[in-house]
């Protein structure tokens, strides 16, 4: 092991850098171990197990859970990777965006490891992690999404419970934000509409499965902003359109008391199963079509070498199908992380992104200065 | 005040009346918003931001619970919170909500009624001013605002 450098240089292109990555921006306490872009271990722990939704972090649980489970999760990740802490070159940790107290737990642990074991530290933007998740490879070096490297310029879309942003990338770590949501994120709209349909909160994943049994042309929901000459979205308009439709249906139910308060958890909204399925399917169609309309516009404007998607919503099967059709038509190569665990929040993508921070020498020079940035944006 | 809003541009006047003259007010100001999903809390917050000179796009804080925006030419912030996902009072402590009651901060809280008593206690910190606003769905383009 070359102790002078952070990685051993075998040849011009190949660096063998071992990274231990920590992500505590959300409900999951997640730790990954990578060697270059190969993921040797990805261990996530969540008591809440709301994995398949986009709901975000529950503060009361998150802080306690991260503090309690970081050590065992790190130990397990090292164990899975057959490595010891001494084998690690660099520690990477998410420093935003996310909830301050949750981020803090991971950052504190990362600093502690760096100080005790004399490691270098990299602070990673969680959303850059989502974009770079497409470059993650398995232990044998096979890319999960099928690409070995990005080709520029490319368009990168991040879609999750808190984000809907479109970037033009002109090179590695070079981002220009060209659009995004003006109000609710797309995953948030799934969660909130799921809530209105009486599926609990968050219920994005449940909504997707109900949509499969529904007819997506039952209700003609709007694709807000589809005509605007930009790459922005509004999902609150769509959320409200579903609300209006529900109120309308409720008013049509004669003799049934109308409940127009969606506040209490699991409160019945008097909708029958078929109606719920149809609402779910019609909403999903409108939400996904909104994404596609603006992506189509952006592709024809920027002519990108590829389209990259990251974030929890890309786990949605119907969206994947629409994207495949869009990209076939426009002959644009499409890549996204295929396994579900790589779409939702995870530390592997933080490890992958950290490789590119390292190449740009973006280490934290004075370890104590790394602070959480809850509202961190990509710039 | 009880007002029917038929057009979202009408929030501008209300926000300006509430917060327009910030120089004269030396205390933090909590705007506590109450209303169901889709009643317009975030929409109204956008007009509040404009009224105090914040030019960034205000996006929903539901997922992340708290977003902050610097108010230009000042040391104060617009803090935008959403308590929808919180279940316990101590969670408000954990996200450090009490520390926001300082300077001439404007603190907009969606779903504030989930912790009504607790939010009212903020008025004891640094003479914080508080305005409760209820937003009620009437029909597709119409809401009722009760201040
Ligand atoms: N008179 C009105 N006042 C407010 N919003 C209106 C009005 N008419 C139509 N709308 C629309 O209703 C929607 C309100 O959504 P918004 O996200 O602001 O609600 P919210 O109360 O913040 O919901 P949530 O509980 O999900 O946070 C917007 O799309 C807005 O354009
Ligand atoms: Mg809102």
């Amino acid at each position: 092991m070359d102790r002078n450098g952070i990685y051993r240089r075998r040849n011009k292109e190949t660096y063998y850098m071992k990274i231990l990555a920590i992500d505590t921006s959300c409900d999951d306490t997640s730790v990954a171990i990578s060697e270059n872009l190969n993921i040797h271990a990805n261990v996530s722990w969540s008591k809440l197990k709301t994995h398949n939704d986009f709901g975000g972090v529950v503060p009361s649980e998150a802080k306690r859970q991260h503090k309690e489970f970081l050590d065992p999760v790190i130990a397990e990740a090292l164990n899975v990777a057959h490595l010891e802490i001494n084998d690690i070159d660099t520690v990477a940790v998410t420093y935003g965006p996310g909830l301050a107290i949750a981020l803090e737990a991971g950052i504190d642990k990362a600093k502690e490891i760096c100080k005790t074991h004399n490691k270098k530290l990299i602070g990673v933007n969680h959303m850059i992690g989502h974009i770079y998740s497409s470059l993650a490879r398995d232990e044998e070096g096979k890319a999960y999404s099928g690409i070995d490297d990005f080709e520029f310029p490319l368009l990168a879309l991040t879609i999750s419970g808190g984000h809907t942003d479109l970037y033009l990338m002109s090179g590695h770590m070079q981002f220009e934000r060209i659009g995004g949501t003006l109000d609710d994120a797309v995953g948030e709209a799934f969660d909130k509409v799921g809530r209105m349909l009486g599926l609990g909160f968050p219920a994005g994943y449940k909504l997707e499965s109900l949509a499969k049994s529904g007819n997506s042309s039952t209700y003609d929901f709007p694709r807000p902003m589809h005509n605007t000459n930009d790459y922005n979205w509004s999902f609150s308009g769509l959320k409200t359109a579903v609300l209006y439709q529900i109120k309308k249906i409720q008013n049509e139910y004669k003799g049934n008391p109308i409940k127009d308060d969606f506040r209490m958890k699991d409160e019945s909204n008097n909708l029958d199963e078929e109606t719920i399925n149809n609402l779910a399917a019609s909403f999903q169609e409108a939400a996904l079509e909104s994404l596609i309309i603006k992506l189509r516009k952006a592709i024809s404007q920027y002519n990108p070498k590829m389209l990259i998607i990251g974030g929890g919503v890309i786990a949605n099967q119907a969206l994947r199908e629409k994207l495949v059709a869009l990209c076939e038509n426009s002959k644009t190569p499409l890549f996204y992380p295929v396994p579900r665990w790589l779409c939702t929040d995870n530390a592997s993508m933080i490890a992958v992104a950290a490789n590119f921070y390292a190449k740009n020498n973006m280490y934290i020079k004075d370890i104590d200065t790394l602070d959480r940035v809850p509202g961190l944006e990509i710039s | 005040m009880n007002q029917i809003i038929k057009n979202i541009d009408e929030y501008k006047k209300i926000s300006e009346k509430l917060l327009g003259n910030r120089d004269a007010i030396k205390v933090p100001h909590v705007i506590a918003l109450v209303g169901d999903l889709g009643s317009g809390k975030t929409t109204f917050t956008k007009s509040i931001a404009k009224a105090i000179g914040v030019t960034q796009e205000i996006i929903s804080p539901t997922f992340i619970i708290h977003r902050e925006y610097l108010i230009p030419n000042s040391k104060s912030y617009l803090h935008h919170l959403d308590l929808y996902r919180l279940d316990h009072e101590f969670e408000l402590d954990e996200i450090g909500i009490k520390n926001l009651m300082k300077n001439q901060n404007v603190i907009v809280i969606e779903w504030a009624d989930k912790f009504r008593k607790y939010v009212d206690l903020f008025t004891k910190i640094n003479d914080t001013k508080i305005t409760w606003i209820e937003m009620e769905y009437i029909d597709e383009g119409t809401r009722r605002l009760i201040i």
Side-chain angles (χ1 to χ4, degrees), chain A residues 251-313:
Chain A
N251 281 326
E252 282 161 8
Y253 283 164
K254 291 206 183 82
N256 280 331
I258 297 159
K259 298 239 177 83
D260 56 7
D261 185 330
F262 296 104
R263 253 177 246 200
M264 303 313 293
K265 287 212 161 99
D266 301 323
E267 186 184 342
S268 149
N269 50 23
N270 284 332
L271 300 177
D272 63 71
E273 201 182 307
E274 193 188 336
T275 307
I276 290 176
N277 293 348
N278 290 340
L279 283 164
S282 304
F283 158 76
Q284 174 170 276
E285 174 68 17
L288 302 183
E289 227 8 82
S290 288
L291 290 174
I292 297 293
I293 290 167
K294 289 294 167 86
L295 284 176
R296 187 181 295 124
K297 240 180 212 172
I299 287 173
S300 78
Q301 166 76 30
Y302 292 99
N303 227 335
K305 294 256 170 54
M306 42 178 69
L307 174 63
I308 303 293
I309 318 279
V313 180

Side-chain angles (χ1 to χ4, degrees), chain B residues 69-96:
Chain B
Y69 309 87
L70 183 65
I71 302 172
N73 308 317
S74 80
K75 285 194 186 108
S76 300
Y77 285 85
L78 166 65
H79 291 283
H80 187 190
L81 291 106
D82 189 327
L83 310 187
Y84 185 65
R85 315 191 52 250
L86 305 191
D87 289 320
H88 311 281
E89 272 181 12
F90 72 89
E91 293 179 315
L92 293 166
D93 288 333
E94 286 194 343
I95 61 175

Side-chain angles (χ1 to χ4, degrees), chain A residues 85-267:
Chain A
I85 192 75
N86 287 332
D87 301 320
I88 300 296
D89 302 298
T90 299
V91 177
V93 65
T94 301
Y95 72 106
L99 194 71
I101 50 163
L103 293 165
E104 233 159 57
I107 293 172
D108 287 350
K109 181 55 71 185
K111 287 178 177 173
E112 181 194 312
I113 298 171
C114 288
K115 285 180 182 168
T116 322
H117 300 280
N118 197 21
K119 308 291 181 200
K120 293 216 175 196
L121 180 63
I122 293 175
V124 175
N125 179 324
H126 184 83
M127 300 316 293
I128 292 183
H130 274 307
I131 292 173
Y132 274 90
S133 61
S134 278
L135 293 183
R137 301 175 188 180
D138 67 14
E139 260 177 299
E140 268 87 54
K142 196 168 158 289
Y144 282 110
S145 69
I147 27 166
D148 284 329
D149 201 357
F150 289 159
E151 278 178 53
F152 305 101
L154 64 76
L155 284 171
L157 175 72
T158 55
I159 36 175
S160 65
H163 289 269
T164 304
D165 293 296
L166 185 60
Y167 298 93
L168 179 66
M169 288 180 71
S170 53
H172 276 298
M173 302 298 285
Q174 305 289 316
F175 305 92
E176 183 198 339
R177 188 178 183 278
I178 60 168
T181 183
L182 300 181
D183 38 57
D184 293 5
V186 58
E188 177 178 353
F190 270 76
D191 283 337
K192 286 182 173 171
V193 168
R195 176 81 198 82
M196 292 176 190
L197 296 178
L199 313 176
F201 186 91
Y205 181 61
K206 218 166 167 184
L207 189 149
E208 183 192 350
S209 66
L210 294 188
K212 285 189 189 120
S213 326
N215 178 350
S216 66
S217 52
T218 314
Y219 305 102
D220 187 17
F221 290 131
R223 284 86 167 129
M225 300 191 64
H226 70 276
N227 266 332
T228 58
N229 206 10
D230 55 31
Y231 306 104
N232 293 332
W233 289 276
S234 164
F235 289 102
S236 108
L238 175 55
K239 161 185 79 183
T240 321
V242 179
L243 176 73
Y244 297 155
Q245 188 60 50
I246 293 175
K247 302 247 181 201
K248 212 167 130 192
I249 297 168
Q250 286 172 331
N251 281 326
E252 282 161 8
Y253 283 164
K254 291 206 183 82
N256 280 331
I258 297 159
K259 298 239 177 83
D260 56 7
D261 185 330
F262 296 104
R263 253 177 246 200
M264 303 313 293
K265 287 212 161 99
D266 301 323
E267 186 184 342

